[in-house]
């Protein structure tokens, strides 16, 4: 006799199945690395435990999709044992793709953490290899920040006293 994993499965159909039904089996749709785990989950279900598990499958067109399979036992009226199973498959491919994109974006995020050694005079920063870099270079290499240069009013007055001071306090330099 065939196990439940080899019983016919048709997307979008609810039908009563028994050993020997024709048609493709669920294991033909599952990715090979998921078949053993699916069998383990079905065994739990045979013991009366409700199961919810995620699998990669091939849809009718042969495309890879992700599904969440929710399976529950149905009691047999005569002896109270497991008389069958009810399974519902939900396509969660879009969710899995979004999760993968989020993981990739998180891997690309650069942050500064910990103590950053900085020269108290010239303000250069020592990197992990012991080299001293301009603040702009260090921050550029360790974050996604980009610098643009300007001059604060105090430095402008100190370095270029011949230029009149900016009377508009709110304007950037």
């Amino acid at each position: 006799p065939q196990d439940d994993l080899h019983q016919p499965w048709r997307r979008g159909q609810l039908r009563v199945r028994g050993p020997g039904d024709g048609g493709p089996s669920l294991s033909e749709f599952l990715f090979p690395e998921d078949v053993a785990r699916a069998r383990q989950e079905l065994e739990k279900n045979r013991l009366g435990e409700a199961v919810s598990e995620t699998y990669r499958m091939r849809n009718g067109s042969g495309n890879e999709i992700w599904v969440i399979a929710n399976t529950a036992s149905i009691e047999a009226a005569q002896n109270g044992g497991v008389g069958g199973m009810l399974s519902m498959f939900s396509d969660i491919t879009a969710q899995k793709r979004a999760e993968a994109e989020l993981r990739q974006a998180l891997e690309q995020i650069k942050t500064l953490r910990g103590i950053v050694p900085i020269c108290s005079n010239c303000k250069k920063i020592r990197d992990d290899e012991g080299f001293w870099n301009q603040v702009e270079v260090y921050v550029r290499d360790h974050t996604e920040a980009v610098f643009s240069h300007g001059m604060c009013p105090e430095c402008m007055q100190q370095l270029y006293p011949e230029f009149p001071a900016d009377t508009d306090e709110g304007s950037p330099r």
Side-chain angles (χ1 to χ4, degrees), residues 92-104:
I92 58 168
T93 306
Q95 175 186 339
K96 286 291 190 176
R97 285 186 185 142
E99 288 172 4
E101 289 172 11
L102 179 59
R103 270 193 302 281
Q104 184 179 12

Side-chain angles (χ1 to χ4, degrees), residues 134-145:
Q134 294 288 336
V135 170
E136 299 92 333
V137 172
Y138 186 87
V139 172
R140 179 199 66 209
D141 291 348
H142 291 81
T143 71
E144 298 295 322

Side-chain angles (χ1 to χ4, degrees), residues 5 41 47 51 67 84 89 135 140 143:
L5 194 60
E41 298 303 321
L47 299 172
V51 176
V67 296
F89 293 83
V135 170
R140 179 199 66 209
T143 71

Side-chain angles (χ1 to χ4, degrees), residues 73-128:
S73 300
I74 300 172
E75 282 188 30
Q78 299 160 345
N79 62 11
V82 174
M85 291 182 234
L86 177 63
S87 297
M88 181 179 73
F89 293 83
S90 301
D91 186 342
I92 58 168
T93 306
Q95 175 186 339
K96 286 291 190 176
R97 285 186 185 142
E99 288 172 4
E101 289 172 11
L102 179 59
R103 270 193 302 281
Q104 184 179 12
L106 289 173
E107 288 172 5
Q108 293 177 355
I109 294 175
K110 294 181 177 181
T111 58
L112 287 174
R113 291 195 176 123
I115 297 173
V116 178
I118 187 167
C119 174
S120 58
N121 182 50
C122 70
K123 306 301 181 201
K124 287 184 179 177
I125 296 176
R126 189 177 66 230
D127 64 19
D128 295 336

